[in-house]
């Protein structure tokens, strides 16, 4: 059985004080949640404070991005070791906003995932198609390219330490959501791609999240699909009660 993973990506939101308030409330609301992994991804500036706030709770810490170099003249970047140092267990790589606004490439996503894994961080590797790609019937081709490149040269143990997040770009922050059937179709495709790249056994164990306007009122329908192993939550993760409701939908 794959343990569902519900991760909240706060994006560019929350001061340190706001982050502490949010996680203090959240950890109380989900204290009795079992059989589900809970992850929050604050901005870099709040990582240390959130790490201290959730210490001893059932909430894990993730960063929203990472660089593949460990140290050096890379102004503005943050290495895997620095993320580990503040208590991160996970890191998101290849989010559609990184690809769309900051020129993130498939090769770069793979380098970041490898660097994270080398230092004991678990990458959440994001893939997803644009609206025009879906309307042109290119969803399968786009996902196949992104998955193959994102997990290229990862060992079996690396793959089992990774999470793949499917985020249809047309459903992020738009209020539109892939139907449970659409989500299942692509999640099943991703699992088959992992099997081709590795083995059926690995594909059966790797967790695949859905990300795209997940809210308390649609979470249960998505999470009941056989290949949907959790959610990468955006806006709803900024409200403790809403995020907790999504966690409980995965219970």
């Amino acid at each position: 059985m794959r343990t569902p993973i519900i991760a909240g990506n706060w994006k560019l939101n929350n001061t340190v004080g706001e982050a502490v308030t949010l996680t203090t409330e959240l950890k109380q609301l989900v204290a009795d949640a079992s059989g589900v992994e809970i992850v929050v991804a604050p901005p870099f500036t709040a990582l240390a404070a959130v790490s201290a706030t959730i210490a001893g709770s059932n909430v894990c810490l993730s960063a929203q991005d990472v660089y593949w170099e460990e140290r050096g003249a890379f102004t503005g970047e943050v290495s895997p070791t620095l993320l580990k140092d503040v208590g991160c267990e996970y890191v998101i790589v290849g989010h559609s906003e990184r690809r769309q606004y900051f020129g993130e490439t498939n090769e770069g996503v793979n380098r970041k995932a490898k660097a994270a894994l080398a230092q004991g961080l678990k990458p959440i590797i994001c893939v997803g198609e644009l609206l025009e790609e879906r309307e042109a019937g290119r969803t399968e081709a786009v996902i196949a390219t992104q998955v193959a490149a994102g997990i290229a040269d990862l060992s079996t143990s690396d793959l089992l330490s990774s999470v793949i997040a499917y985020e249809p770009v047309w459903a992020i922050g738009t209020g539109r959501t892939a139907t449970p059937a659409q989500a299942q179709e692509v999640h099943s495709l991703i699992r088959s791609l992992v099997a081709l790249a590795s083995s059926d056994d690995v594909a059966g164990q790797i967790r695949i999240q859905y990300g795209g306007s997940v809210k308390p009122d649609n979470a249960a329908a998505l999470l009941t699909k056989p290949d949907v192993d959790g959610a990468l939550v955006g806006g709803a993760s900024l409200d403790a009660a809403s995020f907790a409701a999504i966690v409980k939908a995965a219970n």
Side-chain angles (χ1 to χ4, degrees):
M1 290 292 292
R2 298 182 297 267
T3 301
I5 176 169
I6 308 296
N9 177 17
W10 296 1
K11 307 187 182 185
L12 184 50
N13 292 288
N14 290 336
T15 63
V16 171
E18 290 166 343
V20 168
T21 297
L22 175 55
T23 45
T24 297
E25 183 179 357
L26 175 65
K27 71 179 184 179
Q28 294 169 346
L29 291 173
V30 300
D32 60 349
S34 60
V36 58
E37 194 165 6
I38 306 162
V39 181
V40 292
F44 286 131
T45 50
L47 285 172
V50 170
S51 180
T53 303
I54 62 178
S57 75
N58 59 346
V59 180
C60 301
L61 186 66
S62 175
Q64 297 177 19
D65 192 22
V66 67
Y67 191 54
W68 54 74
E69 296 288 351
E70 272 303 307
R71 60 181 66 245
F74 304 104
T75 300
E77 296 297 341
V78 178
S79 73
T81 298
L82 295 178
L83 296 180
K84 286 279 289 184
D85 187 50
V86 293
C88 287
E89 295 182 46
Y90 286 90
V91 61
I92 300 168
V93 296
H95 190 278
S96 62
E97 290 159 2
R98 298 298 312 173
R99 296 176 188 261
Q100 182 178 357
Y101 303 137
F102 304 102
E104 191 105 311
T105 64
N106 289 328
E107 178 190 19
V109 172
N110 182 247
R111 292 183 73 180
K112 289 180 175 186
K114 288 176 179 173
L117 287 158
Q119 297 303 323
L121 287 170
K122 302 170 189 174
I124 297 174
I125 303 168
C126 300
V127 300
E129 82 279 19
L130 302 170
L131 178 60
E132 53 264 37
E133 291 168 335
R134 173 165 279 271
E135 291 180 338
R138 297 187 56 230
T139 294
E140 185 170 334
V142 170
I143 298 301
T145 298
Q146 292 181 349
V147 170
I151 67 173
D153 303 317
L154 296 190
S155 67
T156 295
S157 62
D158 284 344
L159 284 168
L160 294 177
S161 295
S162 303
V163 176
I164 297 176
Y166 167 57
E167 347 163 89
V169 182
W170 48 271
I172 298 175
T174 63
R176 297 178 64 176
T177 310
T179 65
Q182 287 173 320
Q184 168 59 24
E185 181 179 26
V186 180
H187 280 236
S188 177
L189 168 66
I190 292 169
R191 205 171 298 284
S192 70
L193 294 167
V194 174
L196 284 173
S198 182
S199 70
D200 288 341
D201 183 56
V202 170
Q205 294 183 64
I206 196 167
R207 293 180 294 177
I208 307 171
Q209 295 176 303
Y210 172 76
S213 296
V214 179
K215 297 178 174 59
D217 60 358
N218 62 27
L222 289 161
L223 294 168
T224 54
K225 291 300 179 181
D227 288 302
V228 178
D229 304 315
L232 182 58
V233 184
S237 70
L238 298 174
D239 178 81
S242 292
F243 189 60
I246 296 169
V247 168
K248 290 178 181 179
N251 251 179

